[in-house]
């Protein structure tokens, strides 16, 4: 399975099963790049590149927290807005 697809599915699963809520009640997941790399058996650079691709594609949104803290990753579901309009 493609690394991007595996990464997206892994983050979506983590967010839905044990995600945290932000101050607005929206679910997010916190994943250090090193932890993602270990789970997917990929290098941290590959994970960073994949995260950038997912963010560019509009499938995730990363929010920086601070020095030494993992980003909040909001996993977006494509087409959800379109389905509500139909």
């Amino acid at each position: 399975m493609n690394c991007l697809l595996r990464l997206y599915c892994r983050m979506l699963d983590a967010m839905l099963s044990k995600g945290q809520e932000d101050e607005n009640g929206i679910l997010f997941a916190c994943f250090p790049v090193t932890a993602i790399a270990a789970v997917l058996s990929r290098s941290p650079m590959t994970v960073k590149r994949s995260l950038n691709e997912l963010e560019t594609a509009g499938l995730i949104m990363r929010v920086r927290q601070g020095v030494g803290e993992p980003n909040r990753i909001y996993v977006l579901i494509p087409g959800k807005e379109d389905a509500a309009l139909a």
Side-chain angles (χ1 to χ4, degrees):
M1 186 185 296
N2 184 331
C3 182
L4 281 175
L5 183 58
R6 287 179 50 205
L7 177 57
Y8 179 76
C9 291
R10 193 61 91 135
M11 288 188 301
L12 182 61
D13 181 55
M15 186 188 72
L16 293 175
S17 64
K18 52 189 169 200
Q20 303 167 14
E21 285 188 7
D22 65 9
E23 54 280 349
N24 297 315
I26 300 171
L27 287 175
F28 69 91
C30 283
F31 276 122
V33 170
T34 53
I36 297 171
V39 168
L40 296 176
S41 300
R42 298 285 188 251
S43 71
M45 185 56 75
T46 299
V47 170
K48 288 178 186 179
R49 192 176 16 250
S50 295
L51 286 170
N52 286 336
E53 287 183 47
L54 288 172
E55 192 165 31
T56 300
L59 295 174
I60 66 169
M61 182 176 72
R62 291 183 286 180
V63 178
R64 292 187 55 91
Q65 293 307 295
V67 178
E69 302 227 3
N71 293 338
R72 285 184 178 180
I73 300 175
Y74 296 88
V75 182
L76 308 174
I77 300 172
K80 188 167 178 141
E81 300 81 26
D82 298 337
L85 297 175

